[in-house]
Amino acid sequence: MSNQAGAVPVGHKTSGGAEAAHYYRRLLELLGSNAPLSSFEQLASGAKSVVWEEGYSEAIGDSIATAIRLRENFELKRKREVELSALYDTARDLSALRDTDQILQAIVQRARQLVGSDIAYLSAADEEHGDFYVRTTEGVISQDFGRIRVPRNIGVCGSVARTRRPFYSSNYSADRNFDHDTGIDRAISGEGIISILGIPLELEAYVMGVLFVGDRYVRSYTPQERSVLSSLGTFAALAIENARLLEEAQRALFLAKDANTALRAKADDIEQAAVAHEQLTELIARGGTLDDLVNRVSNLLKGQVGVIDESRNVISGEVSGSLTDEELARAVRESDRLGRSVALPAEDGSTTAVAAVMGGSTRWGALVLTRSRPLSPSETRTLERSAIVTGIVLLSLDRIAQIAHRNVVDTVSALLRGTSDPFSPESARRLPPGISLTWPVTVMLVELVTITSAQASSALRSTLAGRDTIFAEFNGDLAIVTNASEPERLARRISEKLEEAFGQKFTIVISGLISAVDKVPAEYEALGRCIGLIHGLEQRGRIAFEKSFSVYALLFQNKGDDTIASFLRTSVGALIEQDEKRKSQLAITLLAYLDTGRSVQKAAEMLGIHVNTMRQRLDAIAQINPDWSDPSKSLEVHIALRLHILRQTT
């Protein structure tokens, strides 16, 4: 089949079904062959040139847009899988190397591959001279480049060493965010480097070197690329330290035979740490879960192990209750500041060690170990390495969760737009595991005014965690789709959670049961109109069923918030003012009279008053608002009174 949809002459009416089938077949072919995005854009351009029958143009356009989004999601997922696989391979390779020079060369080669840069090099710290020097390069052309020495307060290298954070510049020569040196700038310029990224090689709060990647064109480095290189840098620092320690042990064995026993113990200690490191690397290489990691660390260190999140909630394993929440929070902050684990001895002789868990530059929580005796130096290193691996696992799980969230967002969007049935067997497979929705459904809109959808989602995650509910931001509101049998009860729980988290009430509008996808867009529009009516009634923060407001919402659609107030003033303003001034009940009396078909007897019974009292009130109403009984005004007055009652209802 041709790559382009055939153009149709202007003014020619195509046979919509046949032409649409052609485009749908082509879309499936492009998706099946993982065609580049340009092929989809070419198909979209061809579709725009066709004069479609009514209804086909929008459907074709939405389908092509969905296909493009699917292709982009597939490419993003593939890229992330490649990066994680490369990171795991690197960790395994580094754990097998023992020669420092081989390790450094492997590091710069893999760094260059991971981000697709023109060059990569590693600057090592020189404690004797107090500066950094280029030790290993990859892709470098100039011989002078390898002789660069950088003071600790100069250039990108100095910024990375000082802050212990990644730093990059998209235009090195023009960047004034760091101090320049003429000799260094000349060497950088001679190599043709324009963009540069530096990653600290850090161990125990000490920066032993800086890993660089550079490009000979203007580019930025994404948070994903910086995060992957940061993880590589962490493993690299550990591998370098392991190699250094092993080399020191070997030299010591030859230089000090008298210390053979102590050296053997140190070598065994290091070997145990290396074995632990290899086991952890193997665990993440095969895609082990967080529970697998906790069990492995518990077996390695012979203690009780748990992982907590930033709110100190246990997300895997078990955490001893000997520490208060404040003590635990303080220990996590201290571990993050030091870049080391923090040991907290207890009165009973046991020790709890806390190691902050980092994923790139983000803190995810902490790894907590409790056991009956203190940790040795090698066991402390094993715990800290385990915290690093925990960060990688959590980062991977977070990426999977982001993909699942994107699928839910697409499902909610497709449902509210009515473009496809997201609960069909094929579409339902894109929903997260454990989620199962069927027709009919109820849709709720939560109006988000002062908070973001991410804040609302975080506060409601546990409330909306059932298998029968999905939710996502849509057009600025939080849209909730559910099979809950009691939607009003769910809405009240949502309202309570949001008020507890943010100290204010939020408007929530509930639809009736919706039986099919083609009815959803109209129901969504009706929910939006209902929110607009609630604004006009000055009832923000209310929970309401759309059907209770539908008639009035249609009347005041696309009107300003002050339209209803103006309508009430014009129609029954005098009665409302009289009630407020005299504490009378003329407005509700007239509403009861109109609701009962102008029956004095029935209205009196409804209000629980005497018939004569009813007549007296009607006489008073006629004096204040003589136009209410005019047939041309009666309906307007009746609607105004109902809106007045709705506005007073909480």
Side-chain angles (χ1 to χ4, degrees):
M1 183 179 290
S2 170
N3 283 338
Q4 294 194 26
V8 177
V10 176
H12 175 69
K13 198 72 171 178
T14 65
S15 58
E19 190 71 15
H22 164 75
Y23 278 94
Y24 286 132
R25 283 197 302 273
R26 182 60 185 146
L27 271 179
L28 291 175
E29 290 174 358
L30 293 178
L31 285 172
S33 62
N34 292 331
L37 289 175
S38 60
S39 298
F40 291 87
E41 293 168 355
Q42 194 175 24
L43 187 66
S45 177
K48 290 179 181 178
S49 67
V50 176
V51 180
W52 296 98
E53 290 181 4
E54 184 177 355
Y56 283 100
S57 177
E58 184 177 353
I60 291 293
D62 288 344
S63 297
I64 293 176
T66 300
I68 291 175
R69 190 162 57 251
L70 288 172
R71 182 66 182 84
E72 290 174 339
N73 286 344
F74 172 82
E75 186 63 26
L76 178 61
K77 183 177 180 182
R78 185 197 64 78
K79 182 179 179 182
R80 287 175 175 172
E81 289 176 347
V82 169
E83 289 174 344
L84 285 175
S85 176
L87 189 58
Y88 295 159
D89 291 342
T90 300
R92 186 169 57 251
D93 294 343
L94 291 180
S95 67
L97 294 174
R98 291 294 181 265
D99 181 82
T100 304
D101 291 331
Q102 289 180 344
I103 290 174
L104 296 180
Q105 194 62 46
I107 291 169
V108 296
Q109 288 175 351
R110 191 55 60 89
R112 184 185 178 195
Q113 293 169 4
L114 281 173
V115 297
S117 288
D118 294 332
I119 71 165
Y121 65 99
L122 190 148
S123 290
D126 187 335
E127 289 299 317
E128 182 178 350
H129 294 87
D131 61 3
F132 289 85
Y133 66 98
V134 175
R135 180 163 178 178
T136 309
T137 64
E138 181 71 12
V140 171
I141 300 172
S142 170
Q143 294 182 351
D144 293 336
F145 193 84
R147 292 192 286 269
I148 294 177
R149 298 193 72 94
V150 183
R152 285 185 172 270
N153 61 338
I154 295 295
V156 175
C157 188
S159 296
V160 174
R162 183 175 61 257
T163 64
R164 294 161 45 204
R165 301 284 186 185
F167 183 94
Y168 81 93
S169 174
S170 296
N171 191 343
Y172 177 91
S173 61
D175 199 331
R176 293 296 175 262
N177 290 318
F178 54 87
D179 296 328
H180 286 258
D181 178 88
T182 304
I184 298 172
D185 288 354
R186 187 183 305 113
I188 294 289
S189 176
E191 191 60 31
I193 298 174
I194 296 176
S195 304
I196 192 168
L197 165 65
I199 301 293
L201 301 185
E202 180 184 7
L203 189 68
E204 300 178 357
Y206 169 67
V207 178
M208 63 175 60
V210 179
L211 176 62
F212 290 95
V213 292
D215 294 276
R216 298 182 177 95
Y217 61 95
V218 175
R219 69 169 283 187
S220 60
Y221 300 91
T222 66
Q224 173 67 18
E225 290 170 333
R226 300 199 298 271
S227 178
V228 169
L229 282 185
S230 293
S231 297
L232 172 63
T234 301
F235 270 104
L238 291 171
I240 293 170
E241 179 66 1
N242 270 346
R244 186 188 68 80
L245 291 174
L246 285 174
E247 290 172 356
E248 285 182 358
Q250 291 168 355
R251 285 195 300 268
L253 284 171
F254 287 104
L255 295 176
K257 292 181 180 181
D258 293 340
N260 183 63
T261 302
L263 287 174
R264 174 57 59 186
K266 183 176 179 63
D268 289 344
D269 202 29
I270 294 171
E271 188 62 30
Q272 289 176 7
V275 169
H277 182 61
E278 289 172 3
Q279 288 188 22
L280 295 174
T281 302
E282 179 271 333
L283 181 70
I284 61 172
R286 64 177 175 81
T289 66
L290 194 59
D291 290 341
D292 293 335
L293 176 62
V294 166
N295 292 332
R296 181 68 60 86
V297 177
S298 179
N299 291 331
L300 285 170
L301 298 179
K302 304 298 186 292
Q304 182 188 70
V305 178
V307 179
I308 60 173
D309 61 18
E310 275 293 80
S311 300
R312 272 85 64 197
N313 297 316
V314 180
I315 57 178
S316 183
E318 296 181 6
V319 174
S320 171
S322 60
L323 294 179
T324 66
D325 186 70
E326 179 57 33
E327 288 174 329
L328 198 55
R330 193 183 308 116
V332 174
R333 291 194 298 270
E334 184 70 5
S335 175
D336 183 15
R337 185 183 70 82
L338 296 174
R340 294 291 312 274
S341 61
V342 175
L344 302 172
E347 293 181 357
D348 60 2
S350 65
T351 296
T352 297
V354 180
V357 172
M358 307 297 294
S361 58
T362 303
R363 191 173 72 199
W364 295 86
L367 186 66
V368 183
L369 166 72
T370 301
R371 72 178 199 179
S372 58
R373 65 183 189 281
L375 278 71
S376 68
S378 66
E379 289 174 326
T380 299
R381 287 195 295 272
T382 296
L383 176 67
E384 292 167 354
R385 292 169 185 173
S386 301
I388 294 170
V389 175
T390 302
I392 294 175
V393 173
L394 290 177
L395 188 63
S396 177
L397 293 175
D398 180 66
R399 288 171 186 154
I400 294 172
Q402 287 178 8
I403 293 172
H405 174 68
R406 182 70 256 172
N407 290 339
V408 170
V409 170
D410 291 343
T411 299
V412 172
S413 177
L415 179 65
L416 297 184
R417 296 180 191 278
T419 55
S420 63
D421 183 355
F423 309 142
S424 64
E426 293 144 2
S427 301
R429 282 196 290 269
R430 300 184 65 240
L431 290 172
I435 297 295
S436 177
L437 284 167
T438 58
W439 299 105
V441 298
T442 300
V443 176
M444 301 182 194
L445 280 190
V446 181
E447 185 185 27
L448 305 179
V449 180
T450 59
I451 65 173
T452 65
S453 61
Q455 290 174 310
S457 298
S458 177
L460 297 174
R461 199 172 306 282
S462 59
T463 304
L464 302 177
R467 59 182 285 110
D468 60 354
T469 301
I470 57 175
F471 59 98
E473 185 272 338
F474 189 79
N475 289 342
D477 299 318
L478 186 68
I480 301 169
V481 183
T482 182
N483 284 144
S485 58
E486 298 181 81
E488 184 177 12
R489 189 181 204 176
L490 176 60
R492 294 197 181 282
R493 291 208 309 272
I494 292 169
S495 179
E496 290 167 1
K497 270 291 184 184
L498 291 176
E499 185 175 4
E500 178 185 334
F502 305 106
Q504 64 181 93
K505 290 183 177 294
F506 291 79
T507 302
I508 304 175
V509 185
I510 310 169
S511 77
L513 284 176
I514 306 172
S515 59
V517 68
D518 58 344
K519 295 180 173 56
V520 177
E523 190 67 29
Y524 169 69
E525 290 182 6
L527 293 174
R529 289 195 297 268
C530 185
I531 289 179
L533 181 68
I534 290 174
H535 287 181
L537 293 173
E538 299 176 354
Q539 289 280 300
R540 283 183 173 89
R542 178 173 182 168
I543 299 174
F545 281 95
E546 183 275 330
K547 63 183 179 182
S548 302
F549 290 78
S550 56
V551 173
Y552 312 107
L554 279 170
L555 289 175
F556 293 94
Q557 183 179 5
N558 299 326
K559 307 295 184 183
D561 287 351
D562 60 345
T563 303
I564 293 178
S566 176
F567 174 69
L568 292 178
R569 283 196 303 271
T570 303
S571 303
V572 293
L575 288 180
I576 295 173
E577 288 180 9
Q578 182 70 11
D579 282 346
E580 292 173 350
K581 185 185 300 183
R582 303 290 185 183
K583 305 298 181 183
S584 57
Q585 295 183 314
L586 298 182
I588 197 171
T589 298
L590 182 55
L591 178 60
Y593 181 64
L594 294 174
D595 282 347
T596 57
R598 299 180 181 244
S599 170
V600 174
Q601 182 68 38
K602 291 180 179 178
E605 292 176 358
M606 179 185 293
L607 296 172
I609 61 177
H610 195 274
V611 174
N612 290 338
T613 303
M614 183 71 192
R615 289 194 178 97
Q616 290 171 2
R617 288 186 182 181
L618 290 175
D619 290 341
I621 291 169
Q623 292 177 4
I624 296 171
N625 192 351
D627 293 338
W628 76 266
S629 58
D630 186 339
S632 64
K633 297 284 188 178
S634 180
L635 178 60
E636 181 179 318
V637 170
H638 200 166
I639 291 174
L641 289 170
R642 284 196 173 279
L643 287 173
H644 172 59
I645 297 303
L646 282 175
R647 189 168 67 167
Q648 290 183 319
T649 304
T650 59

